[in-house]
Amino acid sequence: MLDIAPLVRVHVDAWIAAQNDMGVCDAIARNAPVGKPTAMSAPHLPKVAGIDSTVPSPTHTAPLPGVPAAPLPPGALIQDRLASWVSDLTTLHELTERLVRTGSLDEALHELLRAGATLVGARRGMAVLEPADGLGPATTVGLGLAHADLGTIETVPRSVTSYGRILEGLPDPVAVPGPIAVPDLLGEAELDPRHREVAARLGYAASYALPLATEAAGRLGAVVWLYDEPAEPVERQRHLVGLYGRYATEHLARLIELERARAQAATIAEELLPSRLPRVPGVRLAARHRTGPHGGGDWYDALPLPEGALGLAVGSVSGTGPSALAAMGRLRASLRAYAVMEGEDPVAVLSDLELLLRLTEPARSATALFAYAEPARRRIVLAGAGHTPPLVVGEHRTEFVETSLSAPLGMLACWEAPSVELAPAPGETVLLYTDGLLRRTGDPMDRAFARLHAAAASVPKADRGDPGAVADHVLRSMLPDDPHAPDPAGEDVVLLAARFD
């Protein structure tokens, strides 16, 4: 508890200046309180950030005409302003806490629109993300506006809109523009006719645009809130939404950097994988690859071998990031060389790969599965090192291939797992995959295997003739939310499907 003396001497101008330029503690120190106000514990109505909570006096306590009102008790002004500051800080804390929990640009932009609409008292809005450096990503999201409404707004020339002047009106990409308020849009005599038509059609009469820019992050975009009636935020609302906007811009800048890093990792991973699958008589191939946000080391390969044979491989390198991607590229290139030399013996191929990994990268481990297929004879010989077993999907069976257990590459004292042979029937598909498909479900491994078996067994009969359709159905069944989205935990997913005629 603060022990404040009974008498308080406050100069109004000095106090307002302290409110604008200093924090609560600095303002109190600047105005040197010398007494304890007698009404410090008197009840006061709570205040909400951005809303004037002045309430008229009840009728039974209204002052009589001609009778002077009782003077405010000493310190009442200080207490009201302190309560207002505490309310504002509480509101900003809650809104920024909600913002920081967003993990994607789309979520962050929607949260920014919702919080800003609360602070400025609007009902609808639109956020345009266009980093000034031109490297993207670029997107537009709306609050209370359908996709068609956003398209209608974008037909208005940008030079006549408030958010357009922020995005395109400044030649300096690192300059921080100010907010733009249009309190009576339809009342402007020189308003662009197309802008007037769109505003009347969508039913908004005022706008308040805020730049998404800081000196450190540069200009990232703009956000505009739309009012149904002529209006504009008061000074207190502008101050609060400005503070929130600066914090939101910094958060968006971090998310943009993460999104760019993820896109770069995905591009590198795709470049290290086959650009196209080979065409071999008697078999049709399809592959699906989903890269995690940090760039994992899952990979696949398919290469034609002498005498009409085909080599199929999937694997996973430990770790994430550029080093894992580089190790994945080296491992895949080495396996291709070993497969050309001795592909008919999968155990020998993986033994050579084990020796290479042990000598060149002793601190890294990897899993791999290599299959030597002869489509004309519908015969497959395969061996695995710490990898998940393949799955055979057909009209009359859906079952895992019984492979011998083995430690991952880089952890073997000697090679102990022999190869296995299987003969897929005409029309059956052999599905090779990495354990990222199982881990991204979030289930224990036994349940994840059961889900994979159920997903493969439920492939519609019309899709069983297309290996790509089989892979897509398995992805949708295993990851129903969004099978194409990267996993926030960093798990890659690889599926390689081979259908034998």
Side-chain angles (χ1 to χ4, degrees):
M1 298 290 291
L2 294 174
D3 188 12
I4 303 176
L7 297 179
V8 179
R9 294 189 297 272
V10 178
H11 192 281
V12 175
D13 294 337
W15 179 259
I16 295 176
Q19 175 189 2
N20 294 331
D21 299 333
M22 298 184 294
V24 176
C25 297
D26 293 337
I28 293 176
R30 173 75 173 270
N31 290 276
V34 295
K36 182 176 181 180
T38 58
M40 182 64 79
S41 60
H44 287 268
L45 294 176
K47 296 201 172 189
V48 180
I51 299 176
D52 186 1
S53 60
T54 304
V55 179
S57 302
T59 54
H60 65 277
T61 60
L64 297 175
V67 179
L72 291 175
L77 179 61
I78 296 178
Q79 185 177 0
D80 285 346
R81 294 195 181 278
L82 287 175
S84 175
W85 284 342
V86 171
S87 176
D88 292 347
L89 291 174
T90 302
T91 300
L92 287 175
H93 175 74
E94 293 175 353
L95 295 178
T96 52
E97 282 290 317
R98 288 167 52 182
L99 178 66
V100 78
R101 286 195 292 267
T102 58
S104 67
L105 283 173
D106 189 70
E107 292 177 355
L109 290 172
H110 280 93
E111 179 59 33
L112 166 62
L113 283 172
R114 286 192 293 267
T118 300
L119 293 175
V120 302
R123 190 172 61 90
R124 294 178 290 175
M126 179 178 71
V128 180
L129 187 68
E130 290 184 6
D133 56 14
L135 300 179
T139 185
T140 301
V141 300
L143 173 68
L145 296 171
H147 186 72
D149 298 335
L150 295 176
T152 302
I153 294 176
E154 289 179 344
T155 62
V156 180
R158 275 196 170 183
S159 59
V160 302
T161 63
S162 55
Y163 75 91
R165 293 198 295 270
I166 291 176
L167 292 175
E168 299 181 353
L170 293 177
D172 185 1
V174 299
V176 180
I180 300 177
V182 184
D184 188 3
L185 189 66
L186 300 178
E188 292 188 354
E190 299 181 356
L191 183 66
D192 182 83
R194 179 57 183 167
H195 198 180
R196 184 184 302 274
E197 177 186 351
V198 170
R201 179 186 303 179
L202 299 181
Y204 62 89
S207 66
Y208 184 74
L210 188 71
L212 298 176
T214 63
E215 294 182 358
R219 193 172 72 247
L220 302 182
V223 59
V224 57
W225 291 279
L226 307 175
Y227 296 87
D228 297 340
E229 302 291 340
E232 65 176 319
V234 299
E235 183 62 29
R236 182 180 175 189
Q237 291 174 315
R238 296 189 184 200
H239 179 65
L240 289 176
V241 77
L243 292 175
Y244 181 79
R246 285 194 290 272
Y247 182 87
T249 303
E250 297 292 346
H251 183 64
L252 289 172
R254 291 189 292 268
L255 292 178
I256 288 175
E257 291 299 322
L258 290 176
E259 177 65 21
R260 289 176 176 176
R262 188 206 67 79
Q264 292 172 358
T267 301
I268 295 174
E270 293 297 332
E271 291 295 327
L272 292 174
L273 295 176
S275 58
R276 62 179 180 176
L277 297 174
R279 294 180 178 271
V280 177
V283 64
R284 285 188 291 166
L285 303 174
R288 300 292 183 265
H289 181 223
R290 306 287 178 260
T291 305
H294 307 297
D298 288 14
W299 55 277
Y300 69 91
D301 203 354
L303 68 157
L305 297 175
E307 299 180 0
L310 177 68
L312 303 174
V314 292
S316 178
V317 176
S318 61
T320 58
S323 62
L325 290 175
M328 178 263 283
R330 292 191 293 268
L331 201 67
R332 172 178 168 266
S334 301
L335 185 140
R336 290 176 69 91
Y338 298 146
V340 171
M341 292 186 296
E342 47 191 353
E344 67 279 0
D345 186 357
V347 171
V349 172
L350 294 184
S351 298
D352 293 342
L353 206 61
E354 154 73 17
L355 180 60
L356 176 71
L357 191 66
R358 183 184 295 274
L359 294 176
T360 59
E361 299 186 63
R364 191 181 299 277
S365 64
T367 66
L369 186 146
F370 178 73
Y372 177 81
E374 297 176 289
R377 301 173 55 188
R378 288 196 300 276
R379 173 178 175 268
I380 299 178
V381 181
L382 60 89
H387 205 80
T388 52
L391 184 62
V392 179
V393 182
E395 184 177 354
H396 303 291
R397 65 169 176 168
T398 300
E399 61 185 26
F400 290 101
V401 178
E402 294 185 3
T403 57
S404 302
L405 295 178
S406 171
L409 299 175
M411 298 183 179
L412 295 171
C414 61
W415 193 268
E416 300 175 354
S419 61
V420 296
E421 184 175 331
L422 68 147
E428 288 186 336
T429 299
V430 179
L431 187 65
L432 312 181
Y433 54 94
T434 58
D435 59 358
L437 178 64
L438 306 174
R439 296 184 185 279
R440 279 187 60 171
T441 63
D443 295 334
M445 293 303 289
D446 55 344
R447 293 186 181 180
F449 274 113
R451 286 184 59 178
L452 176 58
H453 185 278
S458 64
V459 176
K461 186 176 181 179
D463 293 339
R464 291 181 181 268
D466 183 2
V470 173
D472 291 335
H473 178 84
V474 170
L475 274 177
R476 288 193 301 267
S477 301
M478 294 289 288
L479 311 172
D481 294 335
D482 187 358
H484 301 284
D487 177 32
E491 295 289 349
D492 284 10
V493 173
V494 163
L495 286 93
L496 179 61
R499 184 188 184 276
F500 290 82
D501 298 331

